[in-house]
Amino acid sequence: NRPEVAHAYMFEKLVKTKSPEQVKVTKEDIRKHYDDNLDRLYSKPAEVRASHILFDTRNAKTPEEKEAIKKQAQETLVLARAPGADFAALAAKYSACPSKDKGGDLDFFTRDRMVPPFANAAFALDVGQISGLVETQFGFHIIKVTDKKDAEVIPFEEVALSIRKGMETQKVQEELAAYAVRLKETATITYPE
């Protein structure tokens, strides 16, 4: 019922019949594609879920103002590490980050999504641990890791078939374009008078 699907199927059959070697995809081709694209397409980096309390120092005009902010952060750190402390409530009360409305929750993130000092601290913590003060260009952070996901590689066997289909489709399209060029080069076009 869909002519474009029928045409695509006919063109694919034509190309596979006329140029089988040009559109052939081998196991080696598939494996090479997988290996070449492992980091970019077939891996998921480690992720951390963390909450934080931010004490913003960007508007501190003097070293004394920055030091006063740091002192407040240190006092809050003591509260956050106290037995039975409610980190989300502390974030809601003290944090300068919009995430305070969610108890400081930043959801899951990869290492490259955060500034290095923050990411390094978060990825070094175990689930449930609270950092010391972490200074970034935004200010002082208290970070609590709430969950972690390990890096993951999608096994070759799970993606080999979809890689094959994608590579075949690409080769068919390339060969179809080349076939059309060859037809135009050899065709004799006459126009009625």
Coordinates of all heavy atoms in Angstrom, one line a residue, residues 63-158:
P63 N 37.6 39.6 50.0 CA 38.0 38.3 50.6 C 37.2 38.0 51.8 O 36.9 36.8 52.1 CB 39.5 38.5 50.8 CG 40.0 39.5 49.9 CD 38.8 40.4 49.7
E64 N 36.9 39.0 52.6 CA 36.2 38.8 53.8 C 34.7 38.3 53.5 O 34.3 37.4 54.3 CB 36.1 40.2 54.6 CG 37.4 40.7 55.2 CD 38.3 41.3 54.1 OE1 37.8 41.8 53.1 OE2 39.5 41.3 54.3
E65 N 34.1 38.8 52.5 CA 32.8 38.3 52.1 C 32.9 36.9 51.7 O 32.0 36.0 52.1 CB 32.2 39.2 51.0 CG 31.7 40.5 51.4 CD 31.1 41.3 50.3 OE1 30.9 40.7 49.2 OE2 30.8 42.5 50.5
K66 N 33.9 36.5 51.0 CA 34.0 35.1 50.5 C 34.3 34.2 51.7 O 33.8 33.1 51.8 CB 35.2 35.0 49.5 CG 35.3 33.6 49.0 CD 36.4 33.5 47.9 CE 36.5 32.1 47.4 NZ 37.6 32.0 46.3
E67 N 35.1 34.7 52.7 CA 35.4 33.9 53.9 C 34.1 33.7 54.7 O 34.0 32.7 55.3 CB 36.5 34.7 54.7 CG 37.2 33.8 55.7 CD 37.8 32.5 55.2 OE1 38.4 32.5 54.1 OE2 37.7 31.5 55.8
A68 N 33.3 34.7 54.8 CA 32.0 34.6 55.6 C 31.1 33.5 54.9 O 30.5 32.7 55.6 CB 31.3 35.9 55.6
I69 N 31.1 33.5 53.6 CA 30.3 32.5 52.9 C 30.9 31.1 53.1 O 30.2 30.1 53.4 CB 30.3 32.8 51.4 CG1 29.5 34.1 51.1 CG2 29.7 31.6 50.6 CD1 29.6 34.6 49.7
K70 N 32.2 31.0 53.1 CA 32.9 29.7 53.4 C 32.6 29.3 54.8 O 32.3 28.1 55.1 CB 34.4 29.9 53.2 CG 35.1 28.6 53.4 CD 36.6 28.7 53.1 CE 37.4 27.4 53.2 NZ 38.8 27.6 52.9
K71 N 32.5 30.2 55.8 CA 32.2 29.8 57.2 C 30.8 29.3 57.3 O 30.6 28.2 57.9 CB 32.4 31.0 58.1 CG 32.2 30.8 59.5 CD 32.5 32.0 60.4 CE 32.6 31.8 61.8 NZ 31.3 31.7 62.5
Q72 N 29.9 29.9 56.6 CA 28.5 29.4 56.6 C 28.4 28.0 56.0 O 27.7 27.1 56.4 CB 27.6 30.3 55.8 CG 26.1 29.9 55.9 CD 25.2 30.7 55.0 OE1 25.6 31.4 54.1 NE2 23.9 30.5 55.2
A73 N 29.2 27.8 54.9 CA 29.3 26.5 54.2 C 29.8 25.4 55.2 O 29.3 24.3 55.3 CB 30.1 26.5 53.0
Q74 N 30.9 25.8 55.9 CA 31.5 24.8 56.9 C 30.5 24.5 58.0 O 30.4 23.3 58.4 CB 32.8 25.4 57.5 CG 33.9 25.4 56.5 CD 35.1 26.3 56.9 OE1 35.0 27.2 57.7 NE2 36.3 25.8 56.5
E75 N 29.7 25.5 58.5 CA 28.7 25.2 59.5 C 27.6 24.3 59.0 O 27.2 23.4 59.7 CB 28.1 26.5 60.0 CG 29.1 27.4 60.8 CD 28.6 28.8 61.1 OE1 27.5 29.2 60.6 OE2 29.4 29.5 61.7
T76 N 27.2 24.5 57.8 CA 26.2 23.6 57.2 C 26.7 22.2 56.9 O 26.0 21.2 57.0 CB 25.7 24.3 55.8 OG1 25.3 25.6 56.1 CG2 24.5 23.5 55.3
L77 N 28.0 22.1 56.6 CA 28.6 20.8 56.4 C 28.6 20.0 57.7 O 28.2 18.8 57.6 CB 30.1 21.0 55.9 CG 30.9 19.7 55.8 CD1 30.3 18.8 54.7 CD2 32.4 20.0 55.4
V78 N 28.8 20.6 58.8 CA 28.7 19.9 60.1 C 27.3 19.4 60.3 O 27.0 18.3 60.7 CB 29.1 20.9 61.3 CG1 28.8 20.2 62.6 CG2 30.6 21.2 61.2
L79 N 26.3 20.2 59.9 CA 24.9 19.8 60.1 C 24.6 18.7 59.1 O 23.9 17.7 59.5 CB 24.0 21.0 59.8 CG 24.0 22.2 60.7 CD1 23.1 23.4 60.1 CD2 23.6 21.8 62.1
A80 N 25.1 18.8 57.9 CA 24.8 17.7 56.9 C 25.4 16.4 57.3 O 24.8 15.3 56.9 CB 25.3 18.2 55.5
R81 N 26.5 16.4 58.0 CA 27.2 15.1 58.3 C 26.7 14.6 59.7 O 27.1 13.5 60.1 CB 28.7 15.4 58.4 CG 29.3 15.5 57.0 CD 30.8 15.6 57.1 NE 31.4 15.4 55.8 CZ 32.7 15.6 55.6 NH1 33.5 16.0 56.6 NH2 33.2 15.4 54.4
A82 N 25.8 15.3 60.3 CA 25.3 14.9 61.7 C 24.4 13.7 61.5 O 23.7 13.6 60.4 CB 24.5 16.0 62.3
P83 N 24.4 12.7 62.4 CA 23.6 11.5 62.3 C 22.1 12.0 62.1 O 21.6 12.8 62.8 CB 23.8 10.8 63.6 CG 25.1 11.3 64.2 CD 25.2 12.7 63.7
G84 N 21.5 11.3 61.2 CA 20.0 11.6 60.9 C 19.7 12.9 60.2 O 18.6 13.3 60.1
A85 N 20.8 13.5 59.7 CA 20.6 14.8 59.0 C 19.7 14.7 57.7 O 19.8 13.7 57.0 CB 21.9 15.4 58.6
D86 N 18.9 15.7 57.5 CA 18.0 15.7 56.3 C 18.7 16.6 55.2 O 18.5 17.8 55.2 CB 16.6 16.2 56.6 CG 15.7 16.1 55.5 OD1 16.1 16.0 54.3 OD2 14.5 16.2 55.7
F87 N 19.5 16.0 54.3 CA 20.3 16.7 53.4 C 19.4 17.6 52.5 O 19.7 18.7 52.2 CB 21.1 15.8 52.5 CG 22.2 16.5 51.7 CD1 23.5 16.7 52.2 CD2 21.9 16.9 50.4 CE1 24.4 17.3 51.5 CE2 22.9 17.6 49.7 CZ 24.2 17.8 50.2
A88 N 18.3 17.0 52.0 CA 17.3 17.7 51.2 C 16.8 18.9 51.8 O 16.7 20.0 51.2 CB 16.2 16.8 50.7
A89 N 16.5 18.9 53.1 CA 16.0 20.0 53.8 C 17.0 21.1 54.0 O 16.8 22.3 53.9 CB 15.4 19.6 55.2
L90 N 18.3 20.7 54.2 CA 19.4 21.6 54.3 C 19.6 22.3 52.9 O 19.9 23.5 52.9 CB 20.7 20.9 54.8 CG 20.7 20.4 56.2 CD1 21.9 19.6 56.5 CD2 20.6 21.6 57.2
A91 N 19.5 21.5 51.9 CA 19.7 22.1 50.5 C 18.6 23.1 50.3 O 18.8 24.2 49.8 CB 19.7 21.0 49.5
A92 N 17.3 22.8 50.6 CA 16.2 23.7 50.4 C 16.4 25.0 51.2 O 16.0 26.1 50.7 CB 14.9 23.0 50.8
K93 N 17.0 24.9 52.3 CA 17.2 26.1 53.2 C 18.4 26.9 52.8 O 18.3 28.1 52.8 CB 17.3 25.6 54.7 CG 17.4 26.8 55.7 CD 17.4 26.2 57.1 CE 17.4 27.4 58.1 NZ 17.4 26.9 59.5
Y94 N 19.5 26.3 52.5 CA 20.8 27.0 52.3 C 21.3 27.2 50.9 O 22.1 28.1 50.6 CB 21.9 26.4 53.2 CG 21.6 26.4 54.7 CD1 21.3 25.3 55.4 CD2 21.7 27.6 55.4 CE1 21.0 25.3 56.7 CE2 21.4 27.7 56.7 CZ 21.1 26.5 57.4 OH 20.9 26.6 58.7
S95 N 20.9 26.3 50.0 CA 21.5 26.3 48.7 C 21.1 27.5 47.8 O 20.0 27.9 47.8 CB 21.2 25.0 47.9 OG 21.9 25.0 46.7
A96 N 22.1 28.0 47.0 CA 21.9 29.1 46.1 C 21.6 28.5 44.7 O 21.4 29.3 43.7 CB 23.1 30.0 46.1
C97 N 21.5 27.2 44.5 CA 21.3 26.6 43.2 C 19.8 26.4 43.1 O 19.1 26.0 44.0 CB 22.0 25.3 43.2 SG 21.8 24.4 41.6
P98 N 19.2 26.5 41.8 CA 17.8 26.2 41.6 C 17.4 24.8 42.0 O 16.3 24.5 42.3 CB 17.6 26.5 40.1 CG 18.7 27.4 39.7 CD 19.9 27.1 40.6
S99 N 18.4 23.9 42.1 CA 18.1 22.5 42.4 C 17.6 22.4 43.9 O 17.1 21.4 44.3 CB 19.3 21.6 42.2 OG 20.4 22.0 43.2
K100 N 17.7 23.5 44.6 CA 17.3 23.5 46.0 C 15.8 23.1 46.1 O 15.3 22.5 47.1 CB 17.5 24.8 46.7 CG 16.7 25.9 46.3 CD 17.0 27.2 47.1 CE 16.1 28.4 46.7 NZ 16.5 29.5 47.5
D101 N 15.0 23.4 45.1 CA 13.6 23.1 45.0 C 13.4 21.6 45.0 O 12.3 21.1 45.3 CB 12.9 23.8 43.9 CG 12.9 25.3 44.0 OD1 13.0 25.8 45.1 OD2 12.8 26.0 42.9
K102 N 14.4 20.9 44.6 CA 14.3 19.4 44.5 C 15.3 18.8 45.6 O 15.8 17.7 45.4 CB 14.7 18.9 43.1 CG 13.8 19.4 42.0 CD 14.2 18.9 40.7 CE 15.5 19.6 40.3 NZ 16.1 19.1 39.0
G103 N 15.5 19.5 46.7 CA 16.4 19.0 47.7 C 17.8 18.9 47.3 O 18.6 18.2 47.9
G104 N 18.2 19.7 46.3 CA 19.6 19.7 45.8 C 19.9 18.7 44.8 O 21.0 18.6 44.3
D105 N 18.9 17.9 44.4 CA 19.1 16.8 43.5 C 19.4 17.3 42.1 O 18.7 18.1 41.5 CB 17.8 15.9 43.4 CG 18.0 14.7 42.5 OD1 19.1 14.2 42.4 OD2 17.0 14.2 41.9
L106 N 20.5 16.7 41.6 CA 21.0 17.1 40.2 C 20.7 16.0 39.2 O 21.1 16.1 38.1 CB 22.5 17.4 40.2 CG 22.9 18.6 41.1 CD1 24.4 18.6 41.3 CD2 22.4 19.9 40.5
D107 N 20.1 14.9 39.7 CA 19.8 13.7 38.8 C 21.2 13.1 38.4 O 22.2 13.4 38.9 CB 19.0 14.1 37.6 CG 18.1 12.9 37.2 OD1 18.4 11.7 37.5 OD2 17.2 13.1 36.4
F108 N 21.1 12.2 37.5 CA 22.3 11.5 37.0 C 23.1 12.4 36.1 O 22.5 13.1 35.3 CB 22.0 10.2 36.3 CG 21.7 9.0 37.2 CD1 20.4 8.7 37.6 CD2 22.7 8.3 37.8 CE1 20.1 7.7 38.4 CE2 22.5 7.3 38.7 CZ 21.2 6.9 39.0
F109 N 24.4 12.3 36.1 CA 25.3 13.1 35.2 C 26.5 12.3 35.0 O 27.0 11.5 35.8 CB 25.6 14.5 35.7 CG 26.2 14.5 37.1 CD1 27.6 14.4 37.3 CD2 25.4 14.7 38.2 CE1 28.1 14.5 38.6 CE2 25.9 14.7 39.5 CZ 27.3 14.7 39.7
T110 N 27.1 12.5 33.8 CA 28.4 11.9 33.5 C 29.5 12.9 33.9 O 29.2 14.1 34.2 CB 28.5 11.7 32.0 OG1 28.3 12.9 31.3 CG2 27.6 10.6 31.5
R111 N 30.7 12.4 34.0 CA 31.8 13.2 34.5 C 32.0 14.5 33.7 O 32.3 15.6 34.2 CB 33.1 12.4 34.4 CG 34.3 13.1 35.0 CD 35.5 12.2 35.0 NE 35.5 11.1 35.9 CZ 35.9 11.2 37.2 NH1 36.4 12.3 37.6 NH2 35.8 10.2 38.0
D112 N 31.8 14.5 32.4 CA 32.0 15.6 31.5 C 30.9 16.7 31.6 O 31.1 17.8 31.0 CB 32.2 15.2 30.1 CG 31.0 14.5 29.5 OD1 30.2 14.0 30.2 OD2 30.9 14.4 28.3
R113 N 29.8 16.4 32.3 CA 28.8 17.4 32.4 C 28.9 18.4 33.5 O 28.2 19.4 33.6 CB 27.4 16.7 32.6 CG 27.0 15.8 31.4 CD 25.7 16.1 30.8 NE 24.8 17.1 31.3 CZ 23.7 16.8 32.1 NH1 23.4 15.6 32.4 NH2 23.0 17.8 32.5
M114 N 29.9 18.2 34.4 CA 30.1 19.1 35.5 C 31.6 19.6 35.4 O 32.4 19.0 34.8 CB 30.0 18.3 36.8 CG 28.6 17.8 37.1 SD 27.4 19.1 37.3 CE 25.9 18.2 37.4
V115 N 31.8 20.7 36.1 CA 33.1 21.3 36.2 C 34.0 20.3 36.9 O 33.6 19.6 37.8 CB 33.2 22.7 36.8 CG1 32.4 23.7 36.0 CG2 32.6 22.7 38.2
P116 N 35.3 20.2 36.5 CA 36.2 19.2 37.0 C 36.3 19.0 38.5 O 36.2 17.9 39.0 CB 37.6 19.5 36.4 CG 37.2 20.2 35.1 CD 36.0 21.0 35.4
P117 N 36.4 20.1 39.3 CA 36.5 19.9 40.8 C 35.2 19.2 41.3 O 35.3 18.3 42.2 CB 36.6 21.3 41.4 CG 37.1 22.1 40.2 CD 36.6 21.5 39.0
F118 N 34.1 19.6 40.8 CA 32.8 19.0 41.2 C 32.7 17.6 40.8 O 32.4 16.7 41.6 CB 31.6 19.8 40.7 CG 30.3 19.4 41.2 CD1 29.7 20.2 42.3 CD2 29.6 18.3 40.8 CE1 28.5 19.8 42.8 CE2 28.4 18.0 41.3 CZ 27.8 18.7 42.3
A119 N 33.0 17.3 39.5 CA 32.9 15.9 39.0 C 33.9 15.0 39.7 O 33.6 13.9 40.1 CB 33.2 15.9 37.5
N120 N 35.1 15.5 39.9 CA 36.1 14.7 40.6 C 35.7 14.3 42.0 O 35.8 13.1 42.4 CB 37.5 15.4 40.7 CG 38.1 15.5 39.3 OD1 37.8 14.8 38.3 ND2 39.0 16.5 39.1
A121 N 35.1 15.2 42.7 CA 34.6 15.0 44.1 C 33.5 14.0 44.1 O 33.4 13.0 44.8 CB 34.2 16.3 44.8
A122 N 32.5 14.2 43.2 CA 31.3 13.4 43.1 C 31.7 11.9 42.8 O 31.2 11.0 43.4 CB 30.3 14.0 42.2
F123 N 32.5 11.8 41.8 CA 32.9 10.4 41.3 C 33.8 9.7 42.3 O 33.9 8.5 42.3 CB 33.5 10.5 39.9 CG 32.5 10.5 38.8 CD1 31.9 11.7 38.4 CD2 32.0 9.3 38.2 CE1 30.9 11.7 37.5 CE2 31.1 9.4 37.2 CZ 30.5 10.6 36.9
A124 N 34.4 10.4 43.2 CA 35.3 9.8 44.2 C 34.5 9.3 45.4 O 35.0 8.5 46.2 CB 36.3 10.8 44.7
L125 N 33.2 9.8 45.6 CA 32.4 9.4 46.8 C 31.7 8.1 46.5 O 31.3 7.7 45.4 CB 31.4 10.5 47.1 CG 32.0 11.8 47.5 CD1 30.8 12.9 47.5 CD2 32.6 11.7 48.9
D126 N 31.4 7.4 47.6 CA 30.5 6.2 47.5 C 29.1 6.7 47.8 O 28.8 7.8 48.3 CB 30.9 5.2 48.6 CG 32.2 4.5 48.4 OD1 32.5 4.3 47.2 OD2 32.9 4.2 49.3
V127 N 28.1 5.9 47.4 CA 26.7 6.2 47.6 C 26.5 6.4 49.1 O 26.9 5.7 49.9 CB 25.8 5.1 47.1 CG1 24.3 5.3 47.4 CG2 25.9 4.9 45.5
G128 N 25.8 7.6 49.4 CA 25.5 7.9 50.8 C 26.6 8.8 51.4 O 26.3 9.4 52.4
Q129 N 27.7 8.9 50.8 CA 28.8 9.8 51.4 C 28.6 11.2 51.0 O 28.0 11.6 50.0 CB 30.2 9.4 50.8 CG 30.8 8.2 51.5 CD 32.3 8.1 51.1 OE1 32.6 8.0 49.9 NE2 33.2 8.0 52.0
I130 N 29.1 12.1 51.9 CA 29.0 13.5 51.8 C 30.4 14.0 51.7 O 31.3 13.7 52.5 CB 28.2 14.2 53.0 CG1 26.8 13.7 53.0 CG2 28.3 15.7 52.9 CD1 26.0 14.1 54.1
S131 N 30.7 14.9 50.7 CA 32.0 15.5 50.5 C 32.3 16.5 51.6 O 31.5 16.9 52.4 CB 32.0 16.2 49.2 OG 31.2 17.4 49.2
G132 N 33.6 16.9 51.6 CA 34.0 18.1 52.3 C 33.5 19.3 51.4 O 32.8 19.1 50.4
L133 N 34.0 20.5 51.7 CA 33.7 21.6 50.9 C 34.5 21.4 49.6 O 35.7 21.2 49.6 CB 34.1 22.9 51.5 CG 33.3 23.3 52.8 CD1 33.7 24.8 53.2 CD2 31.8 23.3 52.5
V134 N 33.8 21.6 48.5 CA 34.4 21.6 47.1 C 34.2 22.9 46.5 O 33.1 23.4 46.4 CB 33.7 20.5 46.3 CG1 34.2 20.5 44.9 CG2 33.8 19.1 46.9
E135 N 35.4 23.5 46.2 CA 35.3 24.9 45.6 C 35.4 24.8 44.1 O 36.2 24.1 43.5 CB 36.5 25.7 46.1 CG 36.4 27.2 45.7 CD 37.4 28.1 46.3 OE1 38.3 27.6 47.1 OE2 37.3 29.3 46.1
T136 N 34.5 25.5 43.5 CA 34.5 25.7 42.0 C 34.3 27.2 41.7 O 34.3 28.0 42.6 CB 33.3 25.0 41.3 OG1 32.1 25.7 41.7 CG2 33.2 23.5 41.7
Q137 N 34.3 27.6 40.5 CA 34.1 29.0 40.1 C 32.7 29.5 40.6 O 32.5 30.7 40.6 CB 34.3 29.2 38.6 CG 33.2 28.6 37.7 CD 33.7 27.3 37.1 OE1 34.3 26.4 37.8 NE2 33.3 27.1 35.9
F138 N 31.8 28.6 40.9 CA 30.5 29.1 41.4 C 30.5 29.3 42.9 O 29.6 30.1 43.4 CB 29.5 28.0 41.0 CG 29.4 27.7 39.6 CD1 30.0 26.5 39.1 CD2 28.9 28.6 38.6 CE1 30.0 26.2 37.7 CE2 28.9 28.3 37.3 CZ 29.5 27.1 36.8
G139 N 31.3 28.7 43.6 CA 31.3 28.8 45.1 C 31.8 27.6 45.7 O 32.5 26.8 45.2
F140 N 31.2 27.4 46.9 CA 31.5 26.2 47.7 C 30.3 25.2 47.6 O 29.2 25.6 47.8 CB 31.8 26.5 49.2 CG 33.0 27.4 49.3 CD1 32.9 28.7 49.5 CD2 34.3 26.8 49.3 CE1 34.0 29.5 49.7 CE2 35.4 27.6 49.4 CZ 35.3 29.0 49.6
H141 N 30.6 23.9 47.4 CA 29.6 22.9 47.3 C 29.7 21.9 48.4 O 30.9 21.5 48.8 CB 29.7 22.2 46.0 CG 29.7 23.0 44.8 ND1 28.5 23.2 44.0 CD2 30.6 23.7 44.2 CE1 28.8 24.0 43.0 NE2 30.1 24.3 43.1
I142 N 28.6 21.4 48.9 CA 28.6 20.2 49.7 C 27.9 19.2 48.9 O 26.7 19.4 48.4 CB 27.9 20.4 51.1 CG1 28.6 21.5 51.9 CG2 27.8 19.1 51.8 CD1 27.8 22.0 53.1
I143 N 28.5 18.1 48.6 CA 27.9 17.1 47.6 C 27.6 15.8 48.4 O 28.4 15.3 49.1 CB 29.0 16.8 46.5 CG1 29.4 18.1 45.8 CG2 28.4 15.8 45.5 CD1 30.6 17.9 44.9
K144 N 26.4 15.3 48.1 CA 26.0 14.0 48.6 C 25.7 13.1 47.4 O 24.8 13.4 46.6 CB 24.8 14.0 49.5 CG 24.4 12.7 50.1 CD 23.2 12.8 51.0 CE 22.9 11.4 51.6 NZ 21.8 11.4 52.5
V145 N 26.4 11.9 47.3 CA 26.1 11.0 46.2 C 25.0 10.1 46.6 O 25.0 9.5 47.7 CB 27.4 10.2 45.8 CG1 27.0 9.0 44.9 CG2 28.4 11.1 45.2
T146 N 24.0 10.0 45.8 CA 22.8 9.2 46.1 C 22.6 7.9 45.3 O 21.9 7.1 45.6 CB 21.5 10.1 46.0 OG1 21.4 10.6 44.6 CG2 21.5 11.2 47.0
D147 N 23.4 7.8 44.2 CA 23.3 6.6 43.3 C 24.5 6.7 42.4 O 25.1 7.7 42.1 CB 22.0 6.6 42.6 CG 21.6 5.1 42.2 OD1 22.4 4.2 42.4 OD2 20.5 5.0 41.6
K148 N 24.8 5.5 41.8 CA 25.9 5.4 40.8 C 25.5 4.4 39.8 O 24.8 3.4 40.1 CB 27.2 5.0 41.5 CG 27.9 6.1 42.2 CD 29.3 5.6 42.6 CE 30.2 6.8 43.0 NZ 31.6 6.5 43.1
K149 N 25.9 4.6 38.6 CA 25.8 3.6 37.5 C 27.2 3.4 36.9 O 27.9 4.4 36.5 CB 24.9 4.1 36.4 CG 23.4 4.2 36.8 CD 22.6 4.7 35.6 CE 21.2 5.0 35.9 NZ 20.4 5.5 34.8
D150 N 27.6 2.2 36.8 CA 28.9 1.9 36.3 C 28.9 2.1 34.8 O 27.9 2.1 34.1 CB 29.3 0.4 36.6 CG 29.6 0.1 38.0 OD1 30.0 1.1 38.7 OD2 29.4 -1.0 38.5
A151 N 30.1 2.3 34.2 CA 30.3 2.4 32.8 C 29.8 1.0 32.2 O 29.9 0.0 32.8 CB 31.7 2.6 32.4
E152 N 29.3 1.1 31.0 CA 28.7 0.0 30.4 C 29.0 -0.1 28.9 O 29.0 0.9 28.2 CB 27.1 0.1 30.5 CG 26.3 -1.1 30.2 CD 24.8 -0.8 30.4 OE1 24.5 -0.1 31.3 OE2 24.1 -1.4 29.6
V153 N 29.3 -1.3 28.4 CA 29.6 -1.5 27.0 C 28.5 -2.4 26.5 O 28.2 -3.5 27.1 CB 31.0 -2.2 26.8 CG1 31.2 -2.5 25.3 CG2 32.1 -1.2 27.3
I154 N 27.9 -2.0 25.4 CA 26.8 -2.8 24.8 C 27.6 -4.0 24.0 O 28.4 -3.7 23.2 CB 26.0 -2.0 23.8 CG1 25.3 -0.9 24.6 CG2 24.9 -2.9 23.1 CD1 24.6 0.1 23.7
P155 N 27.3 -5.2 24.4 CA 28.0 -6.3 23.8 C 27.8 -6.4 22.2 O 26.7 -6.0 21.7 CB 27.4 -7.6 24.4 CG 26.7 -7.1 25.7 CD 26.3 -5.7 25.4
F156 N 28.8 -6.8 21.5 CA 28.8 -6.9 20.1 C 27.6 -7.7 19.6 O 27.0 -7.3 18.6 CB 30.2 -7.5 19.6 CG 30.2 -7.8 18.1 CD1 30.4 -6.7 17.2 CD2 30.1 -9.1 17.6 CE1 30.4 -6.9 15.9 CE2 30.1 -9.3 16.3 CZ 30.3 -8.2 15.4
E157 N 27.4 -8.8 20.2 CA 26.3 -9.7 19.8 C 24.9 -9.0 19.8 O 24.1 -9.3 19.0 CB 26.2 -10.9 20.7 CG 27.4 -11.8 20.6 CD 28.6 -11.2 21.4 OE1 28.5 -10.4 22.3 OE2 29.8 -11.6 21.0
E158 N 24.7 -8.0 20.7 CA 23.5 -7.3 20.8 C 23.2 -6.3 19.6 O 22.1 -6.0 19.3 CB 23.3 -6.6 22.1 CG 23.1 -7.5 23.3 CD 22.9 -6.7 24.6 OE1 22.5 -5.6 24.5 OE2 23.1 -7.3 25.6

